[in-house]
Amino acid sequence: MEWRSANLILVNGNIITMDGHRPCGSALAISDNHILFVGGSREALSFAAPGATVIDLMGRTVLPGLIDNHCHFMQTGYAANDVDLQGKNTIAAIKEAIAIAAGYFPSDSMIRGYGYDDYLFPQGIPPCRHDLDRVAPNHLVWLSRVDLHSSVVNTPLLKSMEIPLDTPGLELDEKGEPTGRLRSEADRLVREYNSSLIGSKTRGAALREAVRQALRTGVTTVCAMEGGDESQDKDAEFLLQHQEQVPIRLEVFYQTTDVARVVDLGLPRIGGCILIDGSFGSRTAALLEPYADDPQNSGYLYFEQDELNRFVEEAHTAGLQLSMHVIGDRGIEMMLTSLEKVLSKHPRLDHRHRLEHFELPTPEHIRRARELGLILSVQPAFEYFWGGAGNMYGERLGPERVMRTNPLRTMVDQGLVLAGGSDSAVTPMDIILAIHAAVNHPNKQECLEVFQAIRMFTLHGAAALFREKELGSITPGKLADIIVLAEDPCFITAGNLKDINVDLTIVAGKIVYDRGGAVPLFDIGA
């Protein structure tokens, strides 16, 4: 096929290009996997090759393919196959779900549950190991909190793991015995243990499920946050092995501090959700002042400052893009201090180092992030689910700090580049919902305009990956990753943005999802 002929043409639509040189059009033409033309329908049809597919959009809206800049991709797939604990907001409901699972899981096998939120429980307290022992005494039981930062296990799993009693985050009762509730380091250890039991067949099923979720929601590029210890590294390696076999673009973020390993793999970046601190929900995000609802607790730091400085310097001087998880203001302070020290010693233009989440910055933190040239990878849906004075963030942080969480508009107005992500499976891999959340921030001063919100998941998402020349806008010459929406997000009531459907997802010029039909199957060669 010659370059100036198109095999796929979309006409009679509303094309929002995200390209400032040509912001709109009514049609586009695609030649193989690249965009050939954007403009009017008659002109687009003039590029048609013999047998070209022509789609009449009938006024529907087209956007660039959405980029999820922060997604625990394999965990998203695993969670879909775990016992679903979302909406089960009492200990009795949790026990009932585990009892049912115990009836069909073989004895001595592991029952995994995902999604409980103890904030919604009547007393705010999750089950303990004894609750789980009563309904599944012959199984290993592990239940993950919705934020992936704390969990509950039963007695057989505790004994199997042999966690030392002095492990940080291992909750003990008044007798000095484990309750089965785990946070910080203890939670990390159980996740490592759980991952070590997962085989390639389960990984393959998880990958297929995660891809299906992405395609249904218009996600064409995923920043997959994988790895983190010896067993979870298997997830990262599995994705690297199979990333060319799936019908979306996978950017693997290897969550390891082993710089030499990442360099040997030829990856351009290191990190992702390498934890500086934890989360508000589990009260492990590191705060400069204690939690409002736990005055003896200011969260948890996973690094000492000198240790962090050494890692940041090694990664930076190796030429890698660095990406780290920071949520609380104390965690942000630690990471900014490290980056300032390293960048002062080893200046590098256009490094695009990333901070993931950056939820509770001070005004001074925002200024320093801008001066350092950092990319901020933010998750607006956190505010949809937990933000505002009357919700979990308000209870954890109090009335003053809750007004400072996820200051999206402030950061945009100060010139920072915000790349948006879902943090799935923490919140759904639903970027339309994330756009809705950014536009409807509970702090009205931090609401974004629709176009600003879309930019986080398109142009800025591409820039956060050094791929703005290939992705992020509907521009001739760029890769043909586009989506078709049932409604125009720029002309709909703000409160209804989340209800817009994705009708078509197109990756590299191929229709990979059609809401009117089935999601195409693909083989990952397990």
Side-chain angles (χ1 to χ4, degrees):
M1 177 178 294
E2 296 179 0
W3 171 242
R4 291 193 60 80
S5 61
N7 55 301
L8 178 61
I9 300 173
L10 283 66
V11 298
N12 301 324
N14 169 38
I15 316 295
I16 300 175
T17 67
M18 303 304 294
D19 182 340
H21 298 290
R22 185 161 196 169
C24 60
S26 61
L28 62 90
I30 295 169
S31 178
D32 291 334
N33 61 350
H34 285 80
I35 297 165
L36 175 59
F37 169 83
V38 181
S41 294
R42 180 176 296 181
E43 294 170 283
L45 289 169
S46 71
F47 290 96
T53 299
V54 178
I55 297 175
D56 186 347
L57 294 169
M58 295 184 289
R60 290 177 295 177
T61 294
V62 176
L63 289 179
L66 300 175
I67 300 172
D68 189 338
N69 247 273
H70 189 109
C71 178
H72 300 275
F73 202 57
M74 293 298 291
Q75 180 59 50
T76 296
Y78 295 140
N81 295 311
D82 289 343
V83 179
D84 184 5
L85 303 179
Q86 297 183 81
K88 295 176 172 56
N89 298 331
T90 65
I91 291 175
I94 297 286
K95 289 170 63 177
E96 181 182 8
I98 300 306
I100 292 171
Y104 57 83
F105 276 80
S107 295
D108 300 325
S109 65
M110 179 176 280
I111 298 173
R112 300 178 179 88
Y114 168 75
Y116 77 84
D117 187 350
D118 48 293
Y119 172 73
L120 300 174
F121 287 21
Q123 304 301 320
I125 300 173
C128 67
R129 64 184 173 100
H130 302 298
D131 294 316
L132 304 182
D133 292 345
R134 292 186 184 99
V135 293
N138 301 316
H139 295 78
L140 306 178
V141 181
W142 171 66
L143 311 182
S144 173
R145 193 181 188 278
V146 66
D147 63 355
L148 305 179
H149 283 272
S150 57
S151 51
V152 181
V153 300
N154 69 345
T155 301
L157 183 50
L158 272 177
K159 290 181 177 178
S160 180
M161 289 184 58
E162 300 180 343
I163 301 179
L165 291 180
D166 60 352
T167 301
L170 181 67
E171 183 181 276
L172 304 177
D173 62 19
E174 63 278 0
K175 297 179 182 179
E177 297 180 352
T179 65
R181 302 180 186 120
L182 312 178
R183 298 191 304 167
S184 59
E185 179 63 15
D187 178 68
R188 187 194 68 79
L189 290 173
V190 74
R191 291 178 190 279
E192 176 182 349
Y193 183 80
N194 168 55
S195 183
S196 70
L197 302 179
I198 295 174
S200 61
K201 183 177 180 180
T202 300
R203 284 191 166 87
L207 177 54
R208 284 190 291 271
E209 173 57 30
V211 169
R212 290 188 188 101
Q213 290 188 34
L215 297 179
R216 284 195 296 266
T217 56
V219 173
T220 58
T221 298
V222 172
C223 297
M225 309 289 169
E226 310 296 339
D229 52 60
E230 185 175 350
S231 56
Q232 289 182 354
D233 284 351
K234 295 176 184 177
D235 285 345
E237 292 161 1
F238 187 83
L239 279 190
L240 289 170
Q241 180 183 357
H242 296 292
Q243 65 185 141
E244 300 301 323
Q245 297 171 257
V246 297
I248 60 171
R249 303 186 193 281
L250 285 178
E251 296 279 347
V252 178
F253 281 58
Y254 206 143
Q255 300 174 151
T256 178
T257 55
D258 188 342
V259 173
R261 186 176 190 177
V262 169
V263 170
D264 287 344
L265 287 168
L267 298 176
R269 63 186 61 88
I270 190 169
C273 242
I274 296 180
L275 302 181
I276 300 297
D277 64 348
S279 74
F280 296 140
S282 291
R283 300 188 187 88
T284 50
L287 305 181
L288 293 171
E289 300 293 337
Y291 281 88
D293 61 349
D294 188 2
Q296 305 306 311
N297 177 22
S298 296
Y300 183 81
L301 290 169
Y302 286 81
F303 283 85
E304 298 291 339
Q305 187 73 61
D306 288 347
E307 176 190 14
L308 178 62
N309 294 348
R310 287 192 296 271
F311 167 60
V312 170
E313 183 171 15
E314 184 183 5
H316 175 76
T317 56
L320 297 173
Q321 182 189 27
L322 181 67
S323 175
M324 302 290 283
H325 164 120
V326 286
I327 284 185
D329 45 15
R330 185 159 58 109
I332 291 171
E333 176 66 30
M334 171 180 269
M335 190 63 207
L336 289 176
T337 297
S338 183
L339 285 165
E340 286 167 340
K341 179 180 180 67
V342 170
L343 286 168
S344 175
K345 184 177 179 182
H346 305 284
R348 189 173 105 206
L349 294 176
D350 203 26
H351 52 76
R352 303 194 201 183
H353 293 322
R354 300 168 42 132
L355 299 186
E356 310 293 321
H357 309 311
F358 203 73
E359 284 205 74
L360 189 63
T362 65
E364 182 69 5
H365 288 156
I366 294 172
R367 181 192 64 79
R368 290 160 66 188
R370 184 186 67 243
E371 291 183 354
L372 289 169
L374 302 180
I375 301 280
L376 303 182
S377 171
V378 297
Q379 292 68 48
F382 289 176
E383 292 294 327
Y384 176 81
F385 287 103
W386 304 299
N391 290 309
M392 185 264 285
Y393 280 11
E395 184 172 319
R396 294 284 190 270
L397 300 174
E400 185 275 327
R401 284 181 298 189
V402 76
M403 297 301 291
R404 294 196 287 112
T405 59
N406 297 293
L408 303 179
R409 186 59 179 258
T410 296
M411 294 189 292
V412 167
D413 287 349
Q414 295 198 26
L416 282 155
V417 175
L418 304 190
S422 67
D423 204 20
S424 181
V426 176
T427 69
M429 192 171 21
D430 183 347
I431 301 307
I432 301 299
L433 173 64
I435 291 169
H436 170 101
V439 173
N440 294 278
H441 196 296
N443 180 356
K444 300 306 180 185
Q445 293 182 342
E446 299 301 344
C447 294
L448 294 183
E449 301 296 333
V450 172
F451 197 81
Q452 293 173 320
I454 294 171
R455 186 187 290 123
M456 290 195 297
F457 299 95
T458 53
L459 273 176
H460 284 181
L465 295 167
F466 289 89
R467 299 197 68 179
E468 68 272 21
K469 293 182 179 179
E470 305 169 277
L471 302 171
S473 67
I474 301 175
T475 301
K478 286 194 176 185
L479 292 167
D481 293 2
I482 64 175
I483 63 170
V484 177
L485 302 180
E487 297 176 86
D488 185 346
C490 296
F491 289 93
I492 190 172
T493 303
N496 295 331
L497 278 165
K498 61 182 172 52
D499 300 319
I500 295 176
N501 287 310
V502 175
D503 283 353
L504 292 176
T505 302
I506 298 172
V507 179
K510 296 180 180 178
I511 300 172
V512 291
Y513 171 73
D514 180 348
R515 187 162 68 101
V519 177
L521 298 177
F522 57 94
D523 180 20
I524 63 158

